[in-house]
Amino acid sequence: RADDRFSQGDEPLTVYLSNDTRSEVAGELRWKFTDLVGREIESGVLETVIGPNQSAAVLPLVLSGKVESVSEQNRFLWCEFIHGKDSVCSDALFFWSKPKHWNLVNPGLECAVLDVSQGHAFIEVSAPRACAFWIKMEWPETRDRFSDNFFHLSAGGSKRVRLNLTS
């Protein structure tokens, strides 16, 4: 069902979830509207269940006046589907204008090695000052060493990535 706070406006933005497994998947769809430097405008959580081998519209959002007051060049919707113990199994970013129209701010990217053991290194990448888009992780001579090698970060957000050191 739609979050009641999105009651103004005309056409909803609809978020879909797909499940390509043979069993039902339950979890939380967490969403937030932010501006380019990460100020949260609206947010919410929706408990949902997706049947096996299905796609479904799970979240129709009609923009509130609060969200519409932010210019399209500065409006972003971040979504994460959480399944299990805080495990993000899917995420998405929606934006309302072409990236060439954004007034980008240096996100101050930081990277730290958290742990190295049993042929893996765990690396945390964070963007403390502003949103960071199209982050690409690379390691010489191979492209499949990272658990996730291409992602976005909301301002203040971080991502833990596993690096396979043995292949």
Side-chain angles (χ1 to χ4, degrees):
R1 77 175 180 64
D3 189 306
D4 295 334
R5 289 177 290 178
F6 290 89
S7 58
Q8 301 173 2
D10 302 38
E11 295 294 319
L13 166 70
T14 304
V15 177
Y16 287 80
L17 282 177
S18 296
N19 176 8
D20 59 1
T21 68
R22 294 183 182 180
S23 57
E24 186 176 86
V25 175
E28 291 181 348
L29 179 64
R30 297 177 186 170
W31 55 269
K32 66 179 176 178
F33 282 98
T34 72
D35 64 11
L36 192 58
V37 293
R39 284 185 291 264
E40 190 173 294
I41 303 160
E42 300 265 355
S43 65
V45 177
L46 175 72
E47 297 283 337
T48 190
V49 177
I50 301 293
N53 297 310
Q54 289 185 356
S55 289
V58 294
L59 189 62
L61 294 172
V62 177
L63 302 183
S64 71
K66 196 176 193 183
V67 173
E68 285 186 332
S69 70
V70 176
S71 72
E72 289 186 355
Q73 292 84 6
N74 200 26
R75 184 188 307 162
F76 302 90
L77 172 62
W78 304 81
C79 295
E80 294 180 326
F81 183 67
I82 311 295
H83 174 66
K85 294 189 181 238
D86 229 15
S87 173
V88 176
C89 59
S90 182
D91 60 8
L93 169 63
F94 301 89
F95 42 89
W96 277 257
S97 66
K98 294 178 182 177
K100 69 181 182 179
H101 298 296
W102 301 346
N103 293 319
L104 293 175
V105 176
N106 181 346
L109 283 179
E110 296 176 356
C111 186
V113 177
L114 302 177
D115 183 33
V116 178
S117 63
Q118 300 177 353
H120 294 92
F122 292 93
I123 301 167
E124 185 172 79
V125 180
S126 59
R129 293 198 306 248
C131 300
F133 304 99
W134 296 285
I135 297 169
K136 183 177 181 185
M137 304 288 287
E138 291 184 323
W139 189 265
E141 302 177 19
T142 186
R143 290 174 30 192
D144 60 351
R145 288 189 162 210
F146 293 96
S147 58
D148 192 350
N149 68 341
F150 193 73
F151 52 91
H152 309 288
L153 288 175
S154 61
S158 65
K159 184 168 187 82
R160 187 175 176 167
V161 179
R162 186 185 75 246
L163 170 62
N164 182 353
L165 300 171
T166 59
S167 50

